Every structure is written in C-alpha cells, then in structure tokens.
Amino acid sequence: MRVPETGSYVSRVLDAGAAGVLVPRIETAADAADVVARARYAPDGYRGLGPGRGGWKGGPIPEHLVASNAGVLVAIQIETRRGLDNADAILAVPGIDAVVIGPADLAASLGVAMGSDEHAAASDRIVEAALANDVAPGAFCMSVADAERLTARGARLLIVGGDGLFLAKASAEAWSAAESLKTSAGAVR
C-alpha cells in the first residue's frame, strides 16, 4: 500500500494487513532507514506489536516476528533531485526491497520535461544504483514506451498508467463516440 509519507503511516498500513508498503519522497539514507525500522519488528526495527495487529493471531511471538520481518515488502520512491543525489546511499540501506521512480515529481524537481534526455539519464541513474545494491528497480510509467525503455535498463517493478489516465482516456473515447452521433443539423439521432 502506498502511504502519503514516512512516519506512523508505515506501521499503520502493515498493522491493517498490507503485505508491503511504498513510501514516497525518500531523500536520504536516514529517511530510508526510518522506513525499514518502522516496517519491521525488533530486532530488525521498532514496529510495535499488539494483539490483533499485523496479522498476529496470538501464536508464538518469536515465530511471528521472524515471518513478518522476512515477508514484508519495503519499497520506497525516489522522486527529487536530493533523492537522486543520494540514490547510492539510500539504496545501500539494508532492508529496502524495491525502489520506484516517481517520474513527474523527479522531472519537476530537476526542472526538465518528462521524457527528456536529462530525465531519462536521471531515471537510469536510479535504476543503476538499485541494481548495484540488489534492490528491485521500478517506476511509474506513463506509457508502454516508458515501460519498455526502463525494462531494457533493468527495471522490474513497473506501474503502467494509472486510474486517472485510464479514466480520462475512456471519457474522451465515450465523448468522441457520442459526438459522432450528431446529425448534420447538430441533433442527436
């Protein structure tokens, strides 16, 4: 589940039963380490354990902690210039499983157009840092072409399109179809 920011949101969604968490706007290794600590129980982190939380059904606590820590997906987003500048250190933090590039925010932060050579180079740099640190690289892709380019570079976690884009496209197609029903006099048949 994608949370709005780091902090208590991380453990809240996991306590509610999410299998993993995606945290946006990670800019430093300390930010990444905080996410990992909030997502995992002691001794790997400081997520709290309470009755009925995080899938614990009252069985042996040590086994639950080990299984939960091993099974939770911890994914972060790098989508700012500061995050890009710190990508190597961020992705070297133990416990980060995946990184997702936020292309629109990254482009805005860099002051370049999405899809520009500078934007592509920044995305490639994040993918390379992820691969160097055995972290699954990924991105939000606005098109299949974006997904193809990033897959060729090594990305494996791709989110292609989005509900807003799909809704806008379907609405435009429906409007176009309705417009085609007009007669030459402008009335609908």
Side-chain angles (χ1 to χ4, degrees), residues 105-163:
D105 286 330
L106 181 60
S109 180
L110 297 173
V112 301
M114 278 181 43
S116 68
D117 290 343
E118 298 90 347
H119 187 257
S123 296
D124 290 348
R125 187 167 157 209
I126 295 167
V127 169
E128 290 164 6
L131 292 172
N133 287 286
D134 200 27
V135 171
F140 285 97
C141 301
M142 297 302 119
S143 68
V144 172
D146 288 343
E148 288 172 339
R149 190 189 77 72
L150 286 164
T151 299
R153 300 294 294 161
R156 295 292 173 258
L157 174 63
L158 302 175
I159 303 161
V160 181
D163 53 357

Side-chain angles (χ1 to χ4, degrees), residues 29-187:
D31 292 344
D34 183 60
V35 171
V36 171
R38 289 176 183 277
R40 292 199 167 85
Y41 297 113
D44 301 333
Y46 54 80
R47 180 177 165 198
L49 179 65
R53 291 177 19 194
W56 181 48
K57 307 279 190 271
I61 291 176
E63 287 85 354
H64 170 70
L65 299 181
V66 170
S68 292
N69 285 350
V72 68
L73 174 73
V74 179
I76 60 165
Q77 286 184 253
I78 294 179
E79 50 192 339
T80 64
R81 178 181 297 278
R82 187 172 180 211
L84 175 65
D85 291 344
N86 293 317
D88 290 317
I90 291 168
L91 296 170
V93 170
I96 298 296
D97 299 307
V99 61
V100 176
I101 300 163
D105 286 330
L106 181 60
S109 180
L110 297 173
V112 301
M114 278 181 43
S116 68
D117 290 343
E118 298 90 347
H119 187 257
S123 296
D124 290 348
R125 187 167 157 209
I126 295 167
V127 169
E128 290 164 6
L131 292 172
N133 287 286
D134 200 27
V135 171
F140 285 97
C141 301
M142 297 302 119
S143 68
V144 172
D146 288 343
E148 288 172 339
R149 190 189 77 72
L150 286 164
T151 299
R153 300 294 294 161
R156 295 292 173 258
L157 174 63
L158 302 175
I159 303 161
V160 181
D163 53 357
L165 293 173
F166 296 141
L167 184 58
K169 182 179 179 190
S171 296
E173 289 171 358
W175 182 257
S176 179
E179 286 286 306
S180 71
L181 299 175
K182 288 184 178 179
T183 63
S184 59

